Structure formats: C-alpha cells, structure tokens
Amino acid sequence: MHCADLHLGSRFSGVTSQDEALGKRLVSATYDALENVVELANREVVDFVIFSGDIFDSSNETPYARTRFADAVSRIKATCFIAYGNHDYRRLWEDTIPLPDNAVVFGERPEHFFFPSGPEAKVCITGISHSRKTHGDSLAVDFEPEKGFFNIGVVHCDVDARDSPYSPVPLRDLMSKGFDYWALGHIHKSAILSTDPYVVYPGCTQGRSSKESGSKGVYMITVVNNRVAKAEFFETQAVMWIDTHVTIDESTTLPSLVSVAAGQCPPGSLVRLFVDGTGPLNSKLRLYSEDVRHMFEESSGCVCIDMIVTTRPEMDLEARSKVGDFTAMVIEHGRDMKKVMSRQQIVDAICTTGASEYLRPVYESMSTEDLRRLLDDAINYVIERMREAESE
C-alpha cells in the first residue's frame, strides 16, 4: 500500500468558529482517515505499507498526533516504511514517543531496505526524508537501484516544478534511473504520471478544504514477476468535499434544481454548490439563497458550505444600462468599479461598517477573481431587489 500526506493534526479554526460541530468533525477527519488506512491494510493483507511524507501537518507536531500515528502503525500487520516531508521534517516527539518495531524510517540520506529481510529478499526500497522545510534541488538525485530486485523509490517531492522549493524533480530523471515504482508524496491529488516505470502520487488521505475536493485515498499495488500488474485506488476519506454544478434555463424549477444537485452528492459530503445559466430562477436564487441552501441540505443529507450563484437575469444588461434610469446607473457604476478599482480598493469599499471591518481579513484573503465576483453578485442582487419592488 502506498499512501502520503496524512497531515495529522490539521487545524480547521475558521470552520470551527463558524460551526463548532462541523469543526470537530473535520478535526477528527484526518485521524478517521488514518483508521481507514489501518483497516484497509489489514483487510487486504498487504506485504508492506509506504508512507511518503507529510504524515504530520507541522514540524511542531503535537504529542496527540504522534501518539495516534504510533498506535495506528502498531496495529498494521505489516512493515511500514516511512519518509518524512517538508511539513514534518522536524519531529519534536520522536524520542519520547517512539514508533513501534514494525516501522522503518528513512534518514536524511538515501537508504536501502530490503523486503523481506534476509536471503528471501525480493524488493529493495530506497528512500529519503526531508532534513529541512525547503530543498531547492532534487532529493532523488543520488538514488541508485539494486540489481536483481524490484526497486521502489520513496521521496516527497515536486515533479516537473522547476522553481519549487520542495525538492523539484524532473519526471524524465525519475524515469531514467532504473526504478520500477516511485512512491511519491506532496501533491494532494492522486496521479499516475507514468506506467513505465510507475510514478505515482496517491494524493492525501483526507481532503482538508474545498480546494481538496473529490475522493481521497491510497494506492494498492500488486506486483507479479517483478512488474506492476495492478494499481488500484482505494478511498480513505472520512469526509468528502464536493464541488457540484447545476445550470438553470427557462424551464428549471427550484425542486428540480435541488433534486439534480442532491443527486450528484454522496450523503454526508461538504458541498460547494455552483449554479449558472439564465432563467426565471435567477432572482429567487439571489433573494432567497439561505432557503435554497436549506432545501438542498435537507434533500441531500449534506452540508452546503457555500453556494456560488453566477446566473444571469433574463434582461439584456447591456441594453438596460442605456435606459437612463436608476437601474441603469447601478449597472454602469458596478462596471466602472470592476474596471478601475484595485483589489485593495474593492476590500476598502466593502469594509465600510463595523461588521464588515471585522471581516476584513476574510476579504483580504480572497483572490482578485472572487472579489470581482462579489461585485457582480452585488449588482445582480440590487437589480433583483429593485425589480421585486417595482412588481409590488
């Protein structure tokens, strides 16, 4: 089994402050995913497990995180080969909370370990751990295979990212070294970069934010006659983050929108709901967004952490902006703001009240694209409010 990027001890302070129960669920999630790794390794009766770095989220890992990992490894009925990455290059509790006897840890120089030990050995596992947070050069540069063995290289690195501070490694270099399987870690999305030889990122075992959406897990590798016969992905996440997209048109009803969105999301997921398109629902989605989110949560059994509405009104905004009334002025003013205001000016324009000033760090952390999307949302919201008033 090949896994990486457990990030035990990850903190979700922002989520915890907004929803205490959800925050506790997320804090527990990385440990729950580790339990799934243990259960999977024992169920599949693996020969050994490789951990390719960033087991802990911080070099100042807590004694709780260290204890949970040591206990988990002790319950895996196989040898565990462990390389540390840029997040856990320094371990404060390594001596006082030791790992069990079935753990083999790679040092700060390439090391060979053979499996099984003794004359029956068939596999040579070569690995290295990070000695500091950043490495501007490839940590795999001195890796050499052992003749007559199935050779596995274990390194936490950034493939084909020349300017990365986290051990940039050209893919062509890995492919030319004579190894049969490269067990990598670092990126949080599973990826098989090559099958001759196999160069594999398993991704993280548990997504920690909406940026790490979709299935997370490990690879189970079957080797026959010194060749990879099968590479299977197994999910381990305790909580899944999902991005789901729904498009409205002139015939879309609210129940149908909710039904389509709910059908795309496994129950219990944390969902960002994206809605685009043009149709009569545009105004309702903006004016009653909390009701829509509540309906989606009830129907899907999920938590809607955000609903991003980019639908458009049925009116022609370009033509409407030339009418010369107050609505036209709103449209034109919004467009001018998007054209001439810098991201800092947009943040300053938003944070003009005590409540919004308190949230300034949130707005300052947003991308320029997201800030400009807020302007679009504000324009559309004001227009829909004005249309609603006109119809009364």
Side-chain angles (χ1 to χ4, degrees):
M1 178 192 288
H2 172 202
C3 55
D5 295 279
L6 283 67
H7 286 275
L8 302 177
S10 295
R11 294 167 176 81
F12 298 85
S13 56
V15 177
T16 304
S17 63
Q18 297 173 30
D19 186 329
E20 185 176 357
L22 178 58
K24 289 181 178 179
R25 182 183 172 200
L26 290 177
V27 169
S28 176
T30 56
Y31 298 109
D32 294 339
L34 173 60
E35 291 302 311
N36 292 338
V37 168
V38 174
E39 190 277 332
L40 180 61
N42 291 336
R43 188 184 76 214
E44 296 296 318
V45 196
V46 301
D47 290 301
F48 54 88
V49 179
I50 294 175
F51 292 91
S52 300
D54 283 0
I55 293 154
F56 304 107
D57 191 53
S58 170
S59 59
N60 296 319
E61 95 279 19
T62 66
Y64 179 77
R66 180 80 184 186
T67 300
R68 286 292 298 267
F69 181 64
D71 174 67
V73 171
S74 73
R75 289 183 284 113
I76 294 177
K77 300 172 184 178
T79 304
C80 295
F81 295 94
I82 299 165
Y84 291 113
N86 57 286
H87 272 260
D88 50 10
Y89 66 96
R90 182 178 61 185
R91 278 108 25 221
L92 299 180
W93 298 92
E94 195 160 46
D95 295 330
T96 50
I97 308 177
L99 296 178
D101 292 341
N102 65 324
V104 177
V105 178
F106 295 103
E108 296 172 1
R109 295 180 182 277
E111 291 184 271
H112 294 308
F113 292 100
F114 294 92
F115 183 88
S117 59
E120 301 294 323
K122 298 179 180 179
V123 180
C124 179
I125 305 171
T126 305
I128 190 171
S129 290
H130 281 237
S131 60
R132 57 185 185 272
K133 184 174 180 63
T134 59
H135 286 269
D137 300 318
S138 168
L139 285 174
V141 67
D142 294 325
F143 278 40
E144 294 292 340
E146 288 287 322
K147 291 183 179 179
F149 293 87
F150 183 85
N151 282 276
I152 300 175
V154 184
V155 62
H156 194 84
C157 63
D158 210 350
V159 174
D160 281 347
R162 186 172 58 181
D163 297 324
S164 171
Y166 304 119
S167 181
V169 181
L171 177 61
R172 65 178 182 275
D173 287 2
L174 296 179
M175 296 176 66
S176 66
K177 280 187 171 291
F179 281 74
D180 300 290
Y181 185 93
W182 284 97
L184 308 183
H186 185 57
I187 67 171
H188 291 185
K189 184 176 181 179
S190 62
I192 297 179
L193 305 183
S194 167
T195 58
D196 186 21
Y198 269 78
V199 182
V200 178
Y201 279 114
C204 55
T205 54
Q206 169 61 57
R208 299 174 299 154
S209 73
S210 57
K211 295 179 180 179
E212 297 176 358
S213 61
S215 299
K216 302 299 175 185
V218 303
Y219 270 102
M220 199 75 68
I221 308 301
T222 303
V223 178
V224 177
N225 295 327
N226 273 4
R227 294 186 63 85
V228 174
K230 187 162 50 175
E232 297 177 277
F233 183 80
F234 286 78
E235 294 184 8
T236 59
Q237 76 277 336
V239 178
M240 186 182 291
W241 302 80
I242 293 285
D243 285 349
T244 190
H245 297 259
V246 181
T247 300
I248 67 168
D249 57 28
E250 64 279 356
S251 64
T252 305
T253 64
L254 185 54
S256 67
L257 181 150
V258 170
S259 177
V260 169
Q264 297 174 357
C265 304
S269 301
L270 305 184
V271 179
R272 286 196 305 174
L273 176 57
F274 294 81
V275 189
D276 62 11
T278 302
L281 270 183
N282 170 69
S283 61
K284 305 296 189 298
L285 293 171
R286 297 178 184 281
L287 299 178
Y288 303 100
S289 59
E290 286 304 311
D291 291 86
V292 176
R293 290 174 66 165
H294 182 64
M295 291 172 63
F296 167 76
E297 290 180 339
E298 282 196 338
S299 177
S300 64
C302 299
V303 176
C304 185
I305 57 172
D306 198 8
M307 187 171 79
I308 298 91
V309 179
T310 56
T311 57
R312 297 170 298 281
E314 294 172 283
M315 71 170 68
D316 183 341
L317 289 181
E318 181 63 33
R320 191 66 183 80
S321 68
K322 298 176 181 178
V323 172
D325 61 0
F326 188 69
T327 298
M329 292 175 61
V330 169
I331 296 171
E332 285 302 308
H333 182 61
R335 288 178 174 174
D336 289 343
M337 290 177 68
K338 285 183 63 179
K339 288 179 182 178
V340 304
M341 293 178 73
S342 66
R343 60 171 288 110
Q344 190 57 53
Q345 288 174 322
I346 296 174
V347 171
D348 291 340
I350 293 171
C351 300
T352 55
T353 66
S356 58
E357 182 63 35
Y358 176 77
L359 294 173
R360 179 180 286 271
V362 175
Y363 294 115
E364 289 181 337
S365 69
M366 296 175 67
S367 67
T368 301
E369 180 182 353
D370 285 341
L371 287 170
R372 296 196 185 283
R373 181 169 61 81
L374 284 181
L375 286 178
D376 285 332
D377 288 345
I379 294 168
N380 284 319
Y381 184 80
V382 171
I383 291 172
E384 294 304 335
R385 277 296 189 192
M386 293 171 65
R387 292 179 68 188
E388 185 182 46
E390 290 171 357
S391 64
E392 292 179 351

